[in-house]
Amino acid sequence: MSELVSTRIRTTAGKLGLPHLAETINEYTRRADEGKMGYLDFLDLVLSEELAVRDDRRFRSGLRLSKLPHHKTLDEYDFSFQPDLDPRKVKDLATLSFVEAKANAALPGPPGVGKTHIAVALAVAACRAGYSIYFTSLDDMVRHLKAAEIAGRLTSKLGTYLRPSVLVVDEVGYQPLERAEANLVFQVISKRYEKGSIILTSNKTFSEWGQVFGDEVLATAILDRLLHHCEVIPINGPSYRLKNRLKAIERETEVA
């Protein structure tokens, strides 16, 4: 390819918003020459590479905006430490059929068993698949909604939790809510009902949610919408954090 044509393609690619093509056109043509590609094969190569680059850019941008506390995947989860947890059920969730159906996933269990890890891993998978995601603890969501309500911006702030295809609500039950706070949660759950997915973790059983939300009737209304289309995977086992802490103590004892 002549330098003049190469320069013209780079300029055109830049105008079309294809910076990767502008930077790598010479590499593409080299690979085409070495592979003796026909015109259609060369076009397929260029378009496939550009799509992959664009998808990766979108994925990274989605993670950056998601507020996820980390980007761990299911491959990093130690299923052997939770023998009562069936890996197949979690991996079925990772197919994201529940997201496609705008259904929910709930991960109840005691602290430290890896509920947040699994919730984040599912969100990362959803982001990779092209879904928008957002992560929040229940307490943070309530705090931000209360502040917005006081400032007269509640409708706008609700959009933060209603727009994403997948909303991860972490740590339900760590702090009891007042009825007005529980009502804000009800607004999010009810407005997302059958319109977007929620991945939820909780250290409380559903029978204890009346105490969490300070009102049995309101808790029932929340659960009714949340669990109508929902995959529930309880995780009942030992704490990862306690395991790691005990190992550290053992090492310190051995050194001493």
Side-chain angles (χ1 to χ4, degrees):
M1 180 185 297
S2 70
E3 185 60 34
L4 178 61
V5 174
S6 178
T7 300
R8 190 162 64 240
I9 290 176
R10 284 196 294 269
T11 301
T12 303
K15 290 179 179 179
L16 290 172
L18 300 172
H20 181 71
L21 174 58
E23 295 170 1
T24 57
I25 185 60
N26 290 337
E27 171 64 15
Y28 286 150
T29 55
R30 182 190 63 77
R31 289 166 61 183
D33 288 340
E34 290 178 354
K36 294 182 172 53
M37 291 182 183
Y39 298 125
L40 291 179
D41 287 335
F42 177 67
L43 183 60
D44 181 57
L45 167 68
V46 171
L47 293 179
S48 297
E49 292 280 352
E50 286 302 310
L51 180 60
V53 168
R54 181 167 293 187
D55 283 346
D56 188 64
R57 188 183 305 126
R58 176 204 49 75
F59 172 62
R60 293 181 184 280
S61 175
L63 289 184
R64 188 172 61 253
L65 298 173
S66 68
K67 305 296 184 183
L68 288 172
H70 53 74
H71 301 153
K72 292 180 180 179
T73 66
L74 287 182
D75 290 338
E76 300 172 77
Y77 187 85
D78 185 4
F79 285 98
S80 66
F81 193 67
Q82 301 294 354
D84 291 338
L85 175 61
D86 188 346
R88 292 172 298 181
K89 292 183 178 180
V90 178
K91 290 174 182 178
D92 281 346
L93 285 181
T95 65
L96 304 177
S97 58
F98 79 99
V99 177
E100 185 177 352
K102 296 180 173 57
N104 305 316
L107 304 167
V113 295
K115 302 185 300 296
T116 300
H117 183 149
I118 292 177
V120 167
L122 293 173
V124 170
C127 186
R128 174 68 78 182
Y131 294 101
S132 56
I133 61 174
Y134 193 80
F135 177 96
T136 180
S137 69
L138 181 70
D139 290 343
D140 281 347
M141 184 175 76
V142 168
R143 179 167 52 83
H144 288 304
L145 288 174
K146 283 176 64 178
E149 186 174 38
I150 292 170
R153 296 184 291 103
L154 179 59
T155 300
S156 175
K157 190 60 184 176
L158 278 170
T160 300
Y161 307 106
L162 300 180
R163 281 190 297 270
S165 299
V166 178
L167 175 67
V168 181
V169 182
D170 197 31
E171 298 181 342
V172 174
Y174 280 84
Q175 294 290 337
L177 303 180
E178 297 175 358
R179 194 181 192 287
E181 295 172 332
N183 185 62
L184 292 172
V185 177
F186 172 76
Q187 290 189 56
V188 173
I189 301 296
S190 62
K191 290 178 186 295
R192 288 191 64 89
Y193 176 63
E194 296 186 332
K195 294 180 180 178
S197 296
I198 294 174
I199 301 173
L200 178 145
T201 75
S202 177
N203 69 324
K204 301 292 186 183
T205 63
F206 295 130
S207 63
E208 297 175 296
W209 276 33
Q211 303 168 29
V212 174
F213 291 97
D215 186 299
E216 291 288 348
V217 174
L218 193 51
T220 299
I222 290 172
L223 285 170
D224 180 62
R225 288 157 178 79
L226 181 72
L227 298 180
H228 184 208
H229 308 293
C230 187
E231 295 288 339
V232 180
I233 301 182
I235 307 176
N236 297 302
S239 168
Y240 284 103
R241 287 190 289 269
L242 183 57
K243 176 192 71 168
N244 293 334
R245 180 56 185 151
L246 289 175
K247 284 185 177 179
I249 293 173
E250 288 173 0
R251 287 195 297 269
E252 291 170 1
T253 302
E254 290 171 359
V255 171

